[in-house]
Amino acid sequence: MNVQPEYWSINKYTATLGHKVKHSFNKTNTEFGSAIHPRYGPIRTIVASKDIKKGEEILCDYQYGTDSAIPRWYEQAY
């Protein structure tokens, strides 16, 4: 893992940028995966399911179940 020195502090680096991935029901270019992080142990990951070009949005289906507590925006979009 190549983390630059200015991000070595746990206050400046997080294990993932998965929270930056936007939701899409049908235009996804990623899927969920898993990995073992050296500091945090097992974590969820976002894996590209096709080539993603520079400047292209990274999209995944959040896969909320309709029988669970889901955000209102998701319910309305569904």
Side-chain angles (χ1 to χ4, degrees):
M1 193 163 158
N2 185 14
V3 180
Q4 296 181 5
E6 63 263 31
Y7 297 108
W8 286 357
S9 168
I10 194 166
N11 295 323
K12 293 185 178 182
Y13 175 73
T14 57
T16 178
L17 295 177
H19 61 284
K20 301 284 188 183
V21 177
K22 294 183 178 182
H23 170 75
S24 175
F25 286 110
N26 55 15
K27 295 182 181 180
T28 62
N29 54 13
T30 65
E31 55 192 39
F32 290 109
S34 61
I36 304 298
H37 188 278
R39 176 177 290 218
Y40 302 112
I43 61 170
R44 293 296 304 221
T45 61
I46 304 291
V47 181
S49 57
K50 66 176 198 168
D51 288 341
I52 300 173
K53 296 177 183 161
K54 182 178 180 178
E56 184 179 353
E57 286 186 312
I58 299 175
L59 304 167
C60 73
D61 181 349
Y62 291 168
Q63 299 179 356
Y64 289 125
T66 55
D67 59 342
S68 63
I70 58 176
R72 187 170 188 82
W73 68 263
Y74 187 95
E75 181 181 21
Q76 290 170 343
Y78 189 79

